[in-house]
Amino acid sequence: IGEAIELVYADRLSEHFGVLAYHFTRARQWAKALDYLLAAARQAEQSFATREALALYDEAKSAAEQQAGGIAAAATLIAIHESKARLHFVRSDFEQSRAEAERILPLARLTGDAVKEGEALATIAWASTWGRKLEAAVRFARDALTVAEPAGALAVQGRAYFTIGFVRGVTGVLDESHAALDQAISL
């Protein structure tokens, strides 16, 4: 059925991502299922259908796990967890956002991707900030800097310094706050 939909609606596939994901998942054609699940999840996310997007990313994760491993699979799982961390943050579920970012760490380390590792640490730091775990936020932001500086990941460094500056500012440690915020701005 999925192949028939692809053929009949080749010029309008984006209108059928969800249906295609459904049929290719049921057919256990994992590569196509994954592609359509990710496309449907992105569509839902862009339409602010957060719960639907989260459910689709969960299905995409399952489809990705059905395929052979390797760097491509790890990169796909990293992207799924990044999206889920972002969506949970939008829902103000900071603990779940942090948990999704933590799932990225072993994958980034496995693939040797220091930028993704730094981004995950910065995401954990920011989610910790909003989850009122302020000292943990600073610790994870510093960890992000430790990873991001040698990798030259300027955006990660900026996020980490901003987190430190924000946390130190709201806790009254103004000298450290100003220094970190100045560093974030310069980056």
Side-chain angles (χ1 to χ4, degrees), residues 12 33 35 37 40 43 45-46 65 86 95 102 108 119-120 126 157 168 170 175:
R12 303 186 323 223
D35 289 342
L37 284 163
Q43 264 184 347
E45 185 175 355
Q46 291 168 356
E65 290 169 345
R86 184 175 52 253
E95 274 305 310
E102 287 174 345
E119 288 173 356
W126 194 238
Q157 293 175 55
R168 292 305 188 215
V170 299
D175 288 342

Side-chain angles (χ1 to χ4, degrees), residues 45-60:
E45 185 175 355
Q46 291 168 356
S47 300
F48 301 99
T50 307
R51 286 189 193 119
E52 180 183 347
L54 284 166
L56 287 163
Y57 280 123
D58 283 339
E59 288 186 59

Side-chain angles (χ1 to χ4, degrees), residues 22-183:
Y22 173 84
H23 286 295
F24 283 113
T25 299
R26 296 313 172 269
R28 298 179 183 269
Q29 290 188 18
W30 300 119
K32 282 192 173 192
L34 178 60
D35 289 342
Y36 287 122
L37 284 163
L38 289 172
R42 284 189 293 271
Q43 264 184 347
E45 185 175 355
Q46 291 168 356
S47 300
F48 301 99
T50 307
R51 286 189 193 119
E52 180 183 347
L54 284 166
L56 287 163
Y57 280 123
D58 283 339
E59 288 186 59
K61 180 179 175 283
S62 295
E65 290 169 345
Q66 296 296 324
Q67 296 184 344
I71 297 209
T76 299
L77 289 171
I78 287 170
I80 290 169
H81 291 302
E82 285 174 331
S83 296
K84 289 182 69 181
R86 184 175 52 253
L87 289 165
H88 283 297
F89 191 90
V90 166
R91 295 183 68 222
S92 298
D93 188 348
F94 307 119
E95 274 305 310
Q96 197 59 41
S97 177
R98 177 182 166 156
E100 289 296 336
E102 287 174 345
R103 289 181 179 98
I104 296 168
L105 292 175
L107 295 166
R109 290 172 181 152
L110 177 71
T111 60
D113 192 334
V115 174
K116 289 297 180 187
E117 182 180 356
E119 288 173 356
L121 289 164
T123 299
I124 294 166
W126 194 238
S128 296
T129 299
W130 286 92
R132 295 186 179 103
K133 294 180 171 67
L134 301 180
E135 288 309 312
V138 171
R139 186 176 66 252
F140 282 111
R142 291 190 196 291
D143 289 348
L145 289 170
T146 300
V147 172
E149 286 172 346
L154 299 180
V156 174
Q157 293 175 55
R159 286 180 65 196
Y161 278 117
F162 180 79
T163 300
I164 294 167
F166 182 85
V167 169
R168 292 305 188 215
V170 299
T171 57
V173 186
L174 299 182
D175 288 342
E176 188 177 354
S177 174
H178 288 298
L181 291 173
D182 287 344
Q183 188 68 24

